[in-house]
Amino acid sequence: MDKNCDSNQLMTYAEQWEYFATHGRDETIPRVTVRPTDVYVVTPGKAGTTWVQQIVHQLRSGGDEEFPEIDVIVPMVPPVFLDYDNPAIRLDDDQAYQPRCFKSHDTYDWIPKGARYIYIVRDPVDTMYSTYCFFKKMLRVSPTDDTADIIDFFDSAIVHYKEAGMFNTWASLSSWLPHYRDENVLWLHYEDLHENRQKCVVEIANFMGIDLTNELNELVLERSSFEYMASRGSQFDSGLLKPPLWPRSKNIKRIIMPRPKVRQGGGKMGQGKVKIPQECLTAMEELWEKEIRIPFGYKNYRDMRENLSLLRK
């Protein structure tokens, strides 16, 4: 625990999930007036959001390097993590570059309608392990993966899995799967970005209506690389978040946001199956069976990716 933090003022895992289960329903949070040209980068959370924010911004700007922080120029909708009193974040204004781009962790039911959407999904096991690491850093607990701590996290996650679209793969995925063929939806897999970022950039540029010259293509690939983004960590570190978060919500304890988002050791594939206890893996398999296999027919994540990935087309 961070010595500067009072543990009584920090959320437990259960309190975090309970809040996320209702965040999108908070009518006091500002919304955005949608334009048909808007592009939303949508994920359940911990599935490549920051990475694709950088790609779309580099494509539309032709290589802008001078932005203060990625969540300022590709802001979150709804802005539950942002200091939305900050005059730099005015959701309904024109943005410095076109098209306007936003990020969101909303389920399909709650996303503002009428825009274009880049939806990125990741293996739920890896997503949930990454979310665990993210939440753990919010609470400033020991960096060691303690089995009991992981089980506590997953128990809380599963209790709220249906309501908590944010940071919850099953609620998000089951809401977006019926729309993967929609003309205004580009479906991406996080693993595709690792396997063939070049093809993903081409698909994103086409979807956004951007002429991808060889020069722009090389620039976007360079500036969306881990090495480049890690070297400019302050632009990807959620530096405009206001502690304590959610100042307009009553009785909400403090969360300390992990910084930076682009970090050594992050984003690896396959870690979840190694790190997560078997009882949690079994619970996630049961959720997949209920929420994905029965209604949509995909027996597991690998089967879904083989059928839907743009790299398989």
Side-chain angles (χ1 to χ4, degrees), residues 232-272:
R232 304 175 74 92
S234 64
Q235 291 181 309
F236 307 101
D237 74 350
S238 302
L240 288 187
L241 298 178
K242 179 195 291 183
L245 298 182
W246 308 302
R248 297 184 184 182
S249 299
K250 296 180 180 179
N251 302 318
I252 296 297
K253 296 180 182 179
R254 184 175 181 181
I255 286 179
I256 300 169
M257 186 59 66
R259 300 167 66 181
K261 294 180 181 177
V262 182
R263 54 187 172 77
Q264 193 66 41
K268 291 183 178 178
M269 295 180 288
Q271 276 190 317

Side-chain angles (χ1 to χ4, degrees), residues 13-40:
Y13 290 135
E15 288 171 328
Q16 286 176 307
W17 280 114
E18 185 176 356
Y19 182 81
F20 293 137
T22 58
H23 88 283
R25 285 69 170 166
D26 185 348
E27 298 299 329
T28 69
I29 295 175
R31 297 283 173 165
V32 64
T33 302
V34 175
R35 303 177 188 178
T37 53
D38 290 345
V39 174
Y40 282 68

Side-chain angles (χ1 to χ4, degrees), residues 48 67 97 104 113 138 157 160 165 206 259 265:
F67 58 90
Y97 300 95
S104 181
K113 302 300 190 295
M138 286 182 182
H160 294 290
N206 288 339
R259 300 167 66 181

Side-chain angles (χ1 to χ4, degrees), residues 3-284:
K3 65 182 180 180
N4 295 318
C5 297
D6 178 356
S7 61
N8 292 324
Q9 296 302 312
L10 292 171
M11 282 185 174
T12 64
Y13 290 135
E15 288 171 328
Q16 286 176 307
W17 280 114
E18 185 176 356
Y19 182 81
F20 293 137
T22 58
H23 88 283
R25 285 69 170 166
D26 185 348
E27 298 299 329
T28 69
I29 295 175
R31 297 283 173 165
V32 64
T33 302
V34 175
R35 303 177 188 178
T37 53
D38 290 345
V39 174
Y40 282 68
V41 175
V42 187
T43 77
K46 311 313 298 172
T49 321
T50 303
W51 201 0
V52 179
Q53 282 177 277
Q54 172 69 345
I55 290 172
V56 299
H57 180 60
Q58 293 304 308
L59 281 169
R60 69 173 180 173
S61 69
D64 172 39
E65 293 186 284
E66 304 306 318
F67 58 90
E69 208 280 328
I70 196 69
D71 282 339
V72 173
I73 44 111
V74 185
M76 184 172 183
V77 176
V80 292
F81 281 140
L82 297 178
D83 175 1
Y84 44 80
D85 291 324
N86 189 320
I89 303 171
R90 300 177 61 87
L91 296 180
D92 273 334
D93 286 0
D94 288 337
Q95 295 179 359
Y97 300 95
Q98 298 301 316
R100 296 196 311 176
C101 293
F102 302 93
K103 81 168 184 180
S104 181
H105 298 311
D106 272 342
T107 59
Y108 184 83
D109 292 344
W110 284 91
I111 198 78
K113 302 300 190 295
R116 293 174 289 170
Y117 309 95
I118 301 171
Y119 184 77
I120 310 102
V121 65
R122 181 183 184 185
D123 186 326
V125 175
D126 286 338
T127 303
M128 291 302 285
Y129 179 70
S130 181
T131 304
Y132 163 70
C133 295
F134 190 68
F135 277 27
K136 185 172 61 172
K137 288 184 177 181
M138 286 182 182
L139 298 177
R140 292 294 194 265
V141 300
S142 168
T144 302
D145 288 343
D146 176 75
T147 298
D149 190 56
I150 295 177
I151 292 173
D152 179 32
F153 167 81
F154 276 92
D155 284 348
S156 299
I158 288 170
V159 166
H160 294 290
Y161 86 93
K162 191 64 177 177
E163 300 92 349
M166 186 174 187
F167 295 127
N168 202 305
T169 295
W170 299 279
S172 176
L173 181 55
S174 63
S175 77
W176 281 92
L177 260 174
H179 303 280
Y180 82 92
R181 292 181 182 271
D182 291 2
E183 290 185 359
N184 65 335
V185 174
L186 176 64
W187 188 276
L188 292 180
H189 288 260
Y190 177 84
E191 295 80 7
D192 294 348
L193 286 161
H194 277 275
E195 185 176 320
N196 193 338
R197 184 158 39 98
Q198 163 70 75
K199 182 170 177 59
C200 292
V201 167
V202 170
E203 294 288 342
I204 293 170
N206 288 339
F207 183 73
M208 295 178 68
I210 291 173
D211 181 19
L212 187 65
T213 64
N214 289 336
E215 181 181 4
L216 180 58
N217 179 58
E218 291 177 6
L219 183 149
V220 172
L221 289 174
E222 183 242 329
R223 293 184 184 174
S224 62
S225 67
F226 172 82
E227 293 75 17
Y228 177 90
M229 293 176 68
S231 73
R232 304 175 74 92
S234 64
Q235 291 181 309
F236 307 101
D237 74 350
S238 302
L240 288 187
L241 298 178
K242 179 195 291 183
L245 298 182
W246 308 302
R248 297 184 184 182
S249 299
K250 296 180 180 179
N251 302 318
I252 296 297
K253 296 180 182 179
R254 184 175 181 181
I255 286 179
I256 300 169
M257 186 59 66
R259 300 167 66 181
K261 294 180 181 177
V262 182
R263 54 187 172 77
Q264 193 66 41
K268 291 183 178 178
M269 295 180 288
Q271 276 190 317
K273 290 181 181 178
V274 176
K275 300 284 190 179
I276 295 172
Q278 184 57 50
E279 66 181 89
C280 298
L281 293 175
T282 300
M284 285 191 282

